[in-house]
Amino acid sequence: MQSINKNSFNEKFKGKSISVIGIGISNTPIINMLSKTSATIIARDKKELSLLNKETVTLLNSLNVKLICGEDYLKDIKEDYVIKTPAMRFDTKELLNARKNGSIITSEMELFFELCPAKIFGVTGSDGKTTTTTLISNFLEKEGYNCYLGGNIGTPLLPLINQINKEDFVIVELSSFQLHTMKMSPSVAVITNLSPNHLDVHKSYEEYIEAKENIYKYQHSNDTVILNYDNDVTRSFIDKAKSNVLCFSRKTKVSGAYLEGDNIYFNDELIMNKNDIKLKGDHNIENYMAAICAVHQYVSTKTIKFIAQTFGGVSHRLEFVREKDNISFYNSSIDSSPSRTIAALSTFNEKIILIAGGKDKGISYDSIGDYICDKVKILLLIGPTAKAIEKSVLNSSKEKPKIIFCNSYEEIVKTAFSNAISGDNILLSPASTSFDMFSNFEERGNTFKKIVNSL
């Protein structure tokens, strides 16, 4: 990334008209920042005005922001710039018309990449990207670098653009939605793995993969892309990359990070033993190897081992909640796909009690049945995907767990607890998104924890 003048943001939007689509937690700070330029701002949201956060509405009114809400919120977009919410498809009819009429369609992350003067480490993938992003940030911060962490993790970075310096490091988690229309790539790009996901928004798995590829597609020859050699899709990117390629593998010695016996190496240098890693699961060994590849030239082995031995994980990712009557509860609400739940199940040696189910995002559950039969003794299901998960289990040739259907989280947690015996583990790993009952996976996980802690 080249250095950008501190005033470039203000100059870019001076005297312009801007539509910001989506009035939520991430866009409100951006609107606030834009209001300090001489731009004319319109904030649009599909929710009716009465359903928006009252404090947010009061703030936007004080900033002289025009609000367009409700069913026709995308009507008559004529502004110079349109900053869309990531999950809104670029080919929405109203956006196509706006582009045809001269509007520049962009997003918070695209603007940030354009204006950021610092080196950017970007992480994407179907599973493990939040943990890997956090590890990279933790490694660099422990080594003494000034870091900014954000992106899909939830912290809008654009409002911080004027305080980021060229010598800083920025670490961003990037979703397929954020990457879909990107025309710039980070200096260091990491793809943890790829499997079918978000097919309720993407038209096909192929489109989902193409969106993810934008993380390295626009790199320069002196940039670096880091790929999972054990994943067929990401391994296929090796020959496509124009930049330097590093790989990580639990199965094969590669140019990059690899597991040999119980030891993790980076290009023949012993980094640590896999048992140094506090986090459970083989998938977290992969997350560590990906992060090691990203920071190898900046961070000492001592720092890597320290973080491995002390980092307890990110909330809602195999998070230990409590032990009650010698029964342990784990919250992995982030697990919004079968592959994530399969990875979570693999961390337990004994059969567990699993809570699963949620909103259907158009992906297949055929693969999960055998894993549930191997790892689960009682399966509690809730939400629209409950029947699909049950069908996958019933289609397995293996011994089936007891299956119980529930209608609320209060009911499902208490039912799991009443069916547990001393020594059992109860895991929330939904294999589905949260939007049938909750606004996001954090709310789902926090609800689970609240009920568990009230037992």
Side-chain angles (χ1 to χ4, degrees):
M1 293 291 163
Q2 60 185 10
S3 179
I4 300 294
N5 186 284
K6 293 282 188 178
N7 296 317
S8 58
F9 183 88
N10 293 342
E11 288 298 319
K12 185 176 185 67
F13 296 111
K14 184 177 180 180
K16 302 295 184 181
S17 58
I18 307 168
S19 260
V20 179
I21 300 177
I23 306 172
I25 294 173
S26 60
N27 274 351
T28 301
I30 296 166
I31 296 170
N32 193 14
M33 184 184 186
L34 288 167
S35 71
K36 294 177 173 57
T37 70
S38 61
T40 302
I41 306 166
I42 298 174
R44 302 171 181 265
D45 200 288
K46 63 182 176 182
K47 289 182 182 176
E48 295 293 339
L49 183 61
S50 60
L51 297 177
L52 294 176
N53 182 282
K54 291 181 181 179
E55 291 181 1
T56 300
V57 172
T58 300
L59 171 65
L60 297 184
N61 285 333
S62 73
L63 299 175
N64 295 318
V65 174
K66 181 180 179 181
L67 302 179
I68 300 178
C69 303
E71 186 178 346
D72 294 329
Y73 76 110
L74 296 179
K75 188 176 180 181
D76 296 328
I77 298 177
K78 300 176 181 177
E79 288 67 50
D80 298 315
Y81 285 89
V82 180
I83 302 176
K84 73 177 187 68
T85 187
M88 174 171 283
R89 286 191 60 89
F90 67 93
D91 53 4
T92 301
K93 180 181 68 174
E94 291 86 351
L95 293 186
L96 290 176
N97 288 336
R99 185 181 286 108
K100 184 178 178 181
N101 293 324
S103 297
I104 297 172
I105 314 298
T106 186
S107 66
E108 183 258 341
M109 191 51 64
E110 287 172 89
L111 285 171
F112 179 78
F113 266 64
E114 180 184 342
L115 298 170
C116 180
K119 187 183 187 78
I120 298 178
F121 295 73
V123 181
T124 196
S126 298
D127 306 318
K129 55 184 178 292
T130 299
T131 298
T132 303
T133 306
T134 305
L135 286 173
I136 292 171
S137 180
N138 287 353
F139 287 153
L140 292 169
E141 284 190 343
K142 179 65 179 174
E143 197 71 20
Y145 296 98
N146 190 42
C147 298
Y148 291 86
L149 174 67
N152 195 51
I153 283 182
T155 304
L157 289 169
L158 188 59
L160 305 178
I161 193 69
N162 288 335
Q163 67 188 55
I164 297 175
N165 296 306
K166 185 177 180 180
E167 62 271 17
D168 297 333
F169 286 143
V170 175
I171 306 95
V172 292
E173 177 186 321
L174 296 167
S175 69
S176 60
F177 306 143
Q178 290 168 314
L179 286 166
H180 204 171
T181 53
M182 290 283 277
K183 295 294 186 289
M184 295 181 72
S185 298
S187 298
V188 178
V190 180
I191 308 180
T192 58
N193 50 64
L194 285 177
S195 60
N197 211 339
H198 297 301
L199 300 186
D200 54 337
V201 176
H202 290 288
K203 291 180 177 179
S204 65
Y205 184 33
E206 289 71 26
E207 184 188 85
Y208 171 72
I209 292 172
E210 288 172 4
K212 292 288 194 180
E213 284 191 272
N214 284 340
I215 199 171
Y216 74 86
K217 186 175 180 180
Y218 302 100
Q219 285 189 314
H220 304 294
S221 59
N222 59 339
D223 293 332
T224 301
V225 60
I226 295 153
L227 302 170
N228 185 340
Y229 194 84
D230 300 337
N231 182 272
D232 291 343
V233 179
T234 55
R235 188 172 62 251
S236 73
F237 300 158
I238 293 173
D239 292 333
K240 293 184 180 181
K242 301 172 186 174
S243 54
N244 301 309
V245 177
L246 289 174
C247 292
F248 61 95
S249 173
R250 287 192 294 114
K251 303 173 182 178
T252 306
K253 185 176 180 179
V254 293
S255 177
Y258 55 91
L259 183 68
E260 193 168 83
D262 286 343
N263 291 323
I264 295 172
Y265 293 84
F266 180 82
N267 285 350
D268 295 329
E269 178 189 357
L270 176 62
I271 304 298
M272 63 182 173
N273 189 284
K274 71 175 186 179
N275 296 315
D276 287 325
I277 298 174
K278 186 176 179 179
L279 297 179
K280 297 176 68 172
D282 288 343
H283 62 292
N284 279 315
I285 295 174
E286 293 183 356
N287 294 336
Y288 265 91
M289 291 193 295
I292 289 166
C293 287
V295 303
H296 71 280
Q297 67 188 97
Y298 303 103
V299 175
S300 68
T301 300
K302 182 180 177 181
T303 292
I304 292 170
K305 288 183 72 171
F306 176 83
I307 296 298
Q309 292 166 351
T310 57
F311 178 59
V314 184
S315 295
H316 310 294
R317 293 155 179 84
L318 279 174
E319 174 190 14
F320 175 73
V321 180
R322 74 177 289 201
E323 185 181 292
K324 164 76 171 166
D325 298 342
N326 201 32
I327 297 164
S328 297
F329 292 83
Y330 292 88
N331 163 35
S332 203
S333 180
I334 185 65
D335 298 343
S336 61
S337 66
S339 61
R340 291 199 73 114
T341 294
I342 289 168
L345 291 174
S346 71
T347 65
F348 294 90
N349 295 322
E350 62 287 328
K351 288 207 170 188
I352 67 166
I353 297 172
L354 175 65
I355 297 173
K359 183 180 181 293
D360 189 351
K361 56 178 177 178
I363 58 180
S364 171
Y365 285 86
D366 292 347
S367 63
I368 202 171
D370 284 344
Y371 289 93
I372 289 176
C373 291
D374 283 338
K375 292 288 189 176
V376 176
K377 65 177 185 177
I378 302 174
L379 173 62
L380 296 101
L381 294 170
I382 192 169
T385 61
K387 286 293 183 182
I389 297 171
E390 180 198 36
K391 181 181 178 182
S392 181
V393 171
L394 295 179
N395 285 341
S396 173
S397 60
K398 300 183 178 182
E399 183 181 353
K400 315 293 190 291
K402 179 180 179 181
I403 300 176
I404 304 171
F405 288 86
C406 297
N407 296 309
S408 71
Y409 261 65
E410 187 89 24
E411 178 190 2
I412 206 165
V413 173
K414 290 182 176 179
T415 302
F417 184 54
S418 65
N419 278 271
I421 60 174
S422 178
D424 275 347
N425 293 306
I426 297 175
L427 169 68
L428 169 65
S429 179
S432 316
T433 62
S434 58
F435 304 123
D436 56 321
M437 299 175 70
F438 305 99
S439 58
N440 50 48
F441 73 85
E442 290 100 335
E443 183 185 348
R444 175 170 63 187
N446 289 334
T447 298
F448 173 76
K449 290 193 289 185
K450 183 178 180 181
I451 298 167
V452 167
N453 285 320
S454 70
L455 292 172

